[in-house]
Amino acid sequence: MPNSPEISISRRGVLAGSAASAVIAATTAGAAQRAAPATLAPLPAPAPQPMPVSLTVNGKVQRLSLDPRTTLLDALREHLHLTGTKKGCDHGQCGACTVMVEGVRINSCLSLAVMHEGDTITTIEGLGTPDKLHPMQAAFVKHDGYQCGYCTPGQICSAVAVLDEIKRGVPSHVSVSLTDHPQATNIEMRERMSGNICRCGAYSNIAEAMAEIAGENA
Ligand code: FES
Ligand code: FES
């Protein structure tokens, strides 16, 4: 059926009106764009002032001036060149960076160096030397407690601290009692070492090395 004149006129009007609206919208958007102020890139935050920090690392007093954002791991590796401590994840997930602070193991990637003013820190370099291995280092060698060796400094520092924890009666998640003195059982040692990841899977050999030292110290 042919369209009525009213309807035809009305449709043309709508089309013309739409086109005009589009032109106006485009013009308005263009004008708005030209009028919009340029977005300024945020200024970089000024670097914090270096802070002095004194650490006793492997028996030697070390005085450093550090950006307060420096982790203990980076202070050891980048500033003191003690590269035995390894950086695996840098997020507290692998244990490769384990060192002992005041005899207690920590993930050095999760701790700022300036938080350790005056602290005594032991790294793998402070446990033994190639000529005079720490007993735990010797046990790792004897029991093949490593393959690639990347996790090994952290494993050894952790293992030494774990046996000390057990000796001091610190309970773990698998300790039967929170008050009875824990024993250096396989399950206790595996639980306590669970934060130290070994991609090579040397876990059983590590547990054997630890058991030997625990037995000697029992
Ligand atoms: S590097 Fe610190 S936990 Fe992985
Ligand atoms: S020995 Fe290779 S990651 Fe542990």
Side-chain angles (χ1 to χ4, degrees):
M1 194 174 75
N3 291 333
S4 71
E6 290 82 3
I7 292 174
S8 296
I9 289 163
S10 172
R11 189 174 286 161
R12 277 199 298 276
V14 167
L15 290 172
S18 301
S21 301
V23 169
I24 290 166
T27 310
T28 313
Q33 246 176 13
R34 280 194 298 280
T39 310
L40 296 175
L43 290 173
Q49 290 297 307
M51 284 180 66
V53 59
S54 174
L55 313 168
T56 301
V57 183
N58 301 331
K60 191 171 165 195
V61 176
Q62 302 279 3
R63 292 192 175 82
L64 299 168
S65 177
L66 298 174
D67 182 317
R69 297 167 295 184
T70 308
T71 62
L72 179 59
L73 174 61
D74 285 342
L76 293 170
R77 287 182 56 85
E78 309 300 331
H79 294 265
L80 298 176
H81 309 296
L82 293 168
T83 53
T85 306
K86 297 293 185 268
K87 183 181 281 190
C89 62
D90 211 17
H91 282 86
Q93 293 171 352
C94 72
C97 63
T98 306
V99 298
M100 286 179 275
V101 176
E102 302 293 332
V104 175
R105 63 196 170 130
I106 68 162
N107 288 335
S108 60
C109 70
L110 289 186
S111 196
L112 297 175
V114 293
M115 293 163 61
H116 295 285
E117 171 64 30
D119 280 354
T120 297
I121 292 152
T122 306
T123 69
I124 190 71
E125 291 93 341
L127 280 182
T129 63
D131 295 333
K132 194 164 183 266
L133 294 179
H134 182 281
M136 189 63 81
Q137 290 173 311
F140 266 60
V141 173
K142 179 177 168 188
H143 292 276
D144 281 338
Y146 54 89
Q147 287 181 41
C148 76
Y150 196 81
C151 72
T152 312
Q155 299 277 6
I156 292 177
C157 285
S158 212
V160 169
V162 159
L163 295 192
D164 186 59
E165 279 166 24
I166 294 173
K167 203 167 153 189
R168 288 187 286 113
V170 178
S172 79
H173 289 297
V174 295
S175 299
V176 179
S177 157
L178 292 180
T179 49
D180 291 348
H181 206 102
Q183 301 300 307
T185 58
N186 186 274
I187 190 168
E188 275 284 357
M189 290 192 283
R190 282 178 180 264
E191 162 59 24
R192 290 168 194 263
M193 293 294 288
S194 60
N196 287 82
I197 308 301
C198 175
R199 189 172 176 135
C200 300
Y203 299 112
S204 296
N205 302 33
I206 291 169
E208 282 173 21
M210 291 178 69
E212 177 173 319
I213 302 303
E216 283 173 8
N217 295 337

